Amino acid sequence: MIQGIDHIQLAMPRGEEPRARAFYGGLLGLREVPKPPELAKRGGLWFELADGRALHLGVEEPFLPAKKAHPGFRATELDALGARLLGAECVVTWDSSVPGVRRFHSADPFGNRLEFQEQSAER
């Protein structure tokens, strides 16, 4: 049966691969991996996360950003990541409502909500 999560997918507008690559690859430091040729024809990008899971960005028309549903990325050096996003003129909203979890929310260039969190050792 279900053993875990292999990947998550977010939607993006058609033709915006350069902006997605700059944000997810450049700003967040994710490694882009090639899509299979048949899927590459549809547009979008795939990125590999440090734990071996993946983030897929797929073209959706018409495009509407996910404002509530979101991936929650585990991160180290959360303060530095927040500062990096702020330096790129991204909004960073810190949230302390989950005990033992430092986290903030931001958005990708297309308005998709993203969560970044750093968990305490006790959790």
Side-chain angles (χ1 to χ4, degrees):
M1 292 312 226
I2 296 173
Q3 298 177 343
I5 292 177
D6 177 75
H7 69 275
I8 54 174
Q9 179 158 324
L10 293 172
M12 62 174 278
R14 180 167 301 286
E16 293 289 343
E17 286 82 1
R19 285 179 61 204
R21 190 172 283 119
F23 181 80
Y24 287 100
L27 188 59
L28 298 184
L30 300 181
R31 186 175 76 84
E32 185 176 349
V33 295
K35 291 179 71 171
E38 194 59 33
L39 297 179
K41 295 175 187 176
R42 301 177 190 171
L45 300 168
W46 286 6
F47 293 93
E48 182 177 69
L49 303 175
D51 65 4
R53 292 179 177 100
L55 170 66
H56 295 175
L57 297 171
V59 171
E60 186 171 77
E61 296 177 306
F63 170 75
L64 292 172
K67 297 291 190 179
K68 180 69 173 173
H70 63 277
F73 296 104
R74 287 190 177 171
T76 59
E77 303 176 31
L78 198 62
D79 293 313
L81 178 58
R84 187 176 180 135
L85 288 164
L86 284 171
E89 300 183 1
C90 297
V91 173
V92 171
T93 306
W94 289 90
D95 181 346
S96 61
S97 61
V98 179
V101 179
R102 292 187 68 234
R103 68 182 186 157
F104 65 81
H105 291 92
S106 193
D108 71 8
F110 318 117
N112 290 310
R113 183 179 185 196
L114 306 174
E115 178 179 330
F116 301 92
Q117 60 176 252
E118 184 176 61
Q119 296 182 356
S120 68
E122 300 91 50
R123 192 166 172 191

